Amino acid sequence: FKHEYLVLLLYIKTLQNYYKLVHYYKSMNFKHNLLAIAIAIILAFFVGYGIEVFHDSPERTDFCPEVYEVIDEKACMEAGGIWNADHAPKGERGFCSNKIQCHKPYEDARESHDKVVFIVSLIAGVIAILIGMNLKHDSISRGLSIGGVFLLLYGTMRYWTHANDILKFVLLGIALAILLWIGIKKLK
């Protein structure tokens, strides 16, 4: 009877140790995943903010004056706007809007800035993915790789509205080719 009791105690103790070990690995996996996600998000913010520090986004007010709050025709004209009496909502005398000519230079400046964002994000994203695929530290590797994908998405989304259909097709083809190459060469 004593022998069976000792075997049962040993079995229970082994199960307890097994569950402690499983819990330990689960908590470590959670910590590694959390670190990877944090690295990915901070990398994307870091590059995005860095672009804005060294290449400011154009502000609409630099090209088009703020005239929407102006409520009379004379003040509207003085602010550089156009008074719209014909298209005013019922009960209003009119409203002030910007001249059409101010929008084109702003859109051109925005497109130029978005192109810079696209190019820098694309380069930084590809570098982050390649470094991530070659590192031996699992959490950091995953974080850099995911952050690189975030940067590719960020840059592409910023420039997407300005790109024509052929460029969009080529960009998607290049992105697919890079991902397939990474999958074939690096994930064996």
Side-chain angles (χ1 to χ4, degrees):
F1 179 71
K2 253 184 171 181
H3 176 66
E4 293 168 346
Y5 178 72
L6 287 175
V7 169
L8 182 63
L9 282 177
L10 183 62
Y11 178 72
I12 291 172
K13 192 66 172 166
T14 304
L15 279 176
Q16 287 174 337
N17 288 338
Y18 171 76
Y19 285 120
K20 284 180 184 177
L21 189 62
V22 167
H23 178 69
Y24 171 77
Y25 282 118
K26 282 183 178 179
S27 67
M28 289 302 293
N29 194 25
F30 173 76
K31 292 175 187 176
H32 285 278
N33 288 337
L34 188 63
L35 178 63
I37 291 168
I39 289 171
I41 291 170
I42 296 299
L43 175 65
F45 281 139
F46 177 75
V47 172
Y49 186 71
I51 294 168
E52 295 302 319
V53 166
F54 295 106
H55 193 273
D56 282 340
S57 291
E59 296 291 329
R60 184 176 292 277
T61 55
D62 294 340
F63 297 89
C64 302
E66 287 289 327
V67 295
Y68 299 105
E69 300 296 323
V70 177
I71 56 171
D72 69 36
E73 186 172 359
K74 183 179 178 193
C76 178
M77 298 300 187
E78 288 172 0
I82 299 172
W83 187 253
N84 296 289
D86 298 336
H87 304 290
K90 288 185 178 184
E92 291 186 22
R93 297 185 344 235
F95 62 93
C96 191
S97 65
N98 282 310
K99 294 179 181 173
I100 300 297
Q101 296 89 347
C102 75
H103 296 289
K104 178 75 171 123
Y106 168 72
E107 291 299 324
D108 291 344
R110 194 173 131 233
E111 181 177 350
S112 174
H113 177 73
D114 287 348
K115 186 182 284 187
V116 169
V117 170
F118 169 70
I119 291 168
V120 172
S121 295
L122 185 73
I123 292 168
V126 169
I127 290 171
I129 290 171
L130 291 175
I131 290 172
M133 291 294 165
N134 289 307
L135 283 179
K136 301 295 181 214
H137 300 295
D138 206 28
S139 303
I140 298 170
S141 174
R142 279 186 275 157
L144 287 174
S145 298
I146 294 168
V149 171
F150 285 169
L151 287 170
L152 293 175
L153 289 171
Y154 172 67
T156 303
M157 287 183 339
R158 285 289 298 261
Y159 193 65
W160 197 256
T161 58
H162 308 295
N164 64 29
D165 288 341
I166 293 173
L167 182 57
K168 289 176 184 179
F169 178 74
V170 170
L171 290 174
L172 290 172
I174 291 170
L176 180 61
I178 290 170
L179 292 173
L180 290 174
W181 178 81
I182 289 171
I184 291 169
K185 295 291 183 184
K186 299 294 180 182
L187 301 178
K188 294 180 181 179

